[in-house]
Amino acid sequence: MKRHIILIAIITALLSVAVVQAYAAEKTIGVIMTGDIPYYKAIHKAFLAGLSEHGFGPGKVNVVLQTPAPEAMSWTNAARKLIAIDADVIVAYGAPATLAVVHESSAIPIVFAGVYDPQAVGITGKNITGISSRVPVASVIKNLKGISNFSKLGVVYNDAEKDTVRQAEEVKNLEGQFGFQSVKFNIKRFGDAAKISNVDALFITTSCSAMQCVDNVVGVARKGKIPTATTISGGEDRGIILTIAASPQEQGKEAAEMASKILGGAKASTVPMESPKRIEMIINLKETTAIDLKVPFDTLTSATKVIK
């Protein structure tokens, strides 16, 4: 009887040690994915799949997801929560979320995805790596011009999101080359879409707040029969006519590979930043027809996806 009790005690002790070791071995990844934005959701789905491919699936890594609203304090709070749990690496989608982490911590490795122009907005440092989502704005303007020879282009951006300010500046610099005048619309909340007026085309930047209220923006465009274009996917099924964007699947996959290397012991500084290799062009032909416009044949044949 005494031996039986001793044996049970030994087994219990060994099991306790095993549980503690398993818990200690589990890595934690903090993820910031702003609001209800389809592009970031697609990136995150690919990111989780990529982690599993690299041996960091469920049970091997603990993924703590934060989904802040698209405004400064929410991004900051999300970053602080992930820093407080001492995540092994923090992954952020989009420039605002990434900058929030950069400003709050220099100790935890950061991996970003879906950031239009990292260096231009100050996303640099020895503990940061990631993949940009920059695509040529000139290509968007050129293709939109082929659909509608607009003279006044509205630019939907958010002055609190540095990367969208950058895109608005790029559009401004293309005015002489393509023969148009740009007008900026600072969109931060749903009601701001009502500001859009007196333009004959719309360029929607990668603004988180704009993509949160994309239905409102597209609604205004439909009423005025105004063609729309953007550099972030996810709005094509909701009425945006022309989308030229970095593949969210590639963004998530690359971010997963980078995070996996860091979890495996590599320093972020040794993991090189990447530029997108897969660029998608999506045409919503149904929406174009509805506002009495035609898409040139060469544009259609160049598209990776056509919505009919």
Side-chain angles (χ1 to χ4, degrees):
M1 182 68 178
K2 194 172 183 179
R3 286 183 180 178
H4 183 65
I5 293 171
I6 292 171
L7 184 60
I8 292 173
I10 291 171
I11 292 172
T12 302
L14 289 173
L15 287 172
S16 297
V17 170
V19 169
V20 170
Q21 287 178 337
Y23 180 78
E26 187 178 82
K27 301 287 187 177
T28 298
I29 299 179
V31 178
I32 302 181
M33 180 178 70
T34 304
D36 187 23
I37 298 175
Y39 187 66
Y40 296 153
K41 287 183 174 181
I43 291 176
H44 188 57
K45 182 179 179 180
F47 174 72
L48 294 178
L51 283 180
S52 293
E53 289 175 7
H54 290 285
F56 290 101
K60 296 292 185 181
V61 67
N62 181 31
V63 178
V64 180
L65 178 64
Q66 295 291 306
T67 55
E71 54 92 19
M73 199 65 244
S74 292
W75 283 313
T76 298
N77 287 337
R80 288 174 178 172
K81 287 176 183 177
L82 297 179
I83 292 165
I85 66 170
D86 196 25
D88 293 284
V89 60
I90 295 178
V91 178
Y93 309 140
T98 306
L99 284 168
V101 184
V102 171
H103 291 157
E104 293 297 320
S105 174
S106 60
I108 299 176
I110 302 167
V111 175
F112 63 80
V115 175
Y116 177 76
D117 193 345
Q119 291 188 331
V121 297
I123 299 175
T124 57
K126 63 181 182 179
N127 223 17
I128 306 168
T129 190
I131 177 168
S132 82
S133 61
R134 186 173 184 177
V135 297
V137 170
S139 179
V140 180
I141 301 300
K142 179 181 177 181
N143 282 281
L144 186 58
K145 265 282 188 178
I147 296 170
S148 172
N149 190 25
F150 57 86
S151 58
K152 190 173 285 189
L153 178 66
V155 180
V156 175
Y157 82 118
N158 181 348
D159 63 4
E161 298 181 44
K162 290 183 179 180
D163 55 330
T164 75
V165 174
R166 169 75 172 161
Q167 290 163 66
E169 291 170 351
E170 289 191 26
V171 171
K172 180 74 175 175
N173 292 336
L174 291 168
E175 288 181 347
Q177 180 180 346
F178 291 100
F180 68 91
Q181 176 189 355
S182 64
V183 181
K184 294 191 294 184
F185 296 106
N186 192 14
I187 305 297
K188 295 187 176 183
R189 53 190 63 85
F190 293 98
D192 289 345
K195 297 177 182 178
I196 300 170
S197 62
N198 299 318
V199 293
D200 43 21
L202 273 182
F203 175 88
I204 304 167
T205 66
T206 56
S207 166
C208 295
S209 56
M211 292 310 293
Q212 279 275 86
C213 55
V214 66
D215 290 336
N216 299 64
V217 174
V218 170
V220 171
R222 280 175 176 153
K223 286 180 180 179
K225 292 191 173 183
I226 300 169
T228 50
T230 187
T231 48
I232 180 171
S233 62
E236 61 274 4
D237 291 318
R238 296 162 80 174
I240 294 179
I241 284 174
L242 170 67
T243 300
I244 299 180
S247 162
Q249 287 72 35
E250 181 190 37
Q251 295 281 309
K253 183 179 178 181
E254 290 294 329
E257 183 173 343
M258 293 172 180
S260 297
K261 287 179 179 178
I262 294 170
L263 291 175
K267 293 186 180 297
S269 58
T270 66
V271 181
M273 293 187 185
E274 298 287 346
S275 297
K277 298 177 180 65
R278 287 179 55 195
I279 306 298
E280 301 174 338
M281 183 162 80
I282 306 168
I283 303 291
N284 189 323
L285 194 60
K286 180 180 179 181
E287 193 74 23
T288 311
T289 303
I291 62 172
D292 302 322
L293 291 174
K294 292 184 178 180
V295 179
F297 180 74
D298 59 343
T299 302
L300 280 176
T301 54
S302 298
T304 55
K305 179 181 178 181
V306 177
I307 298 172
K308 298 180 180 180

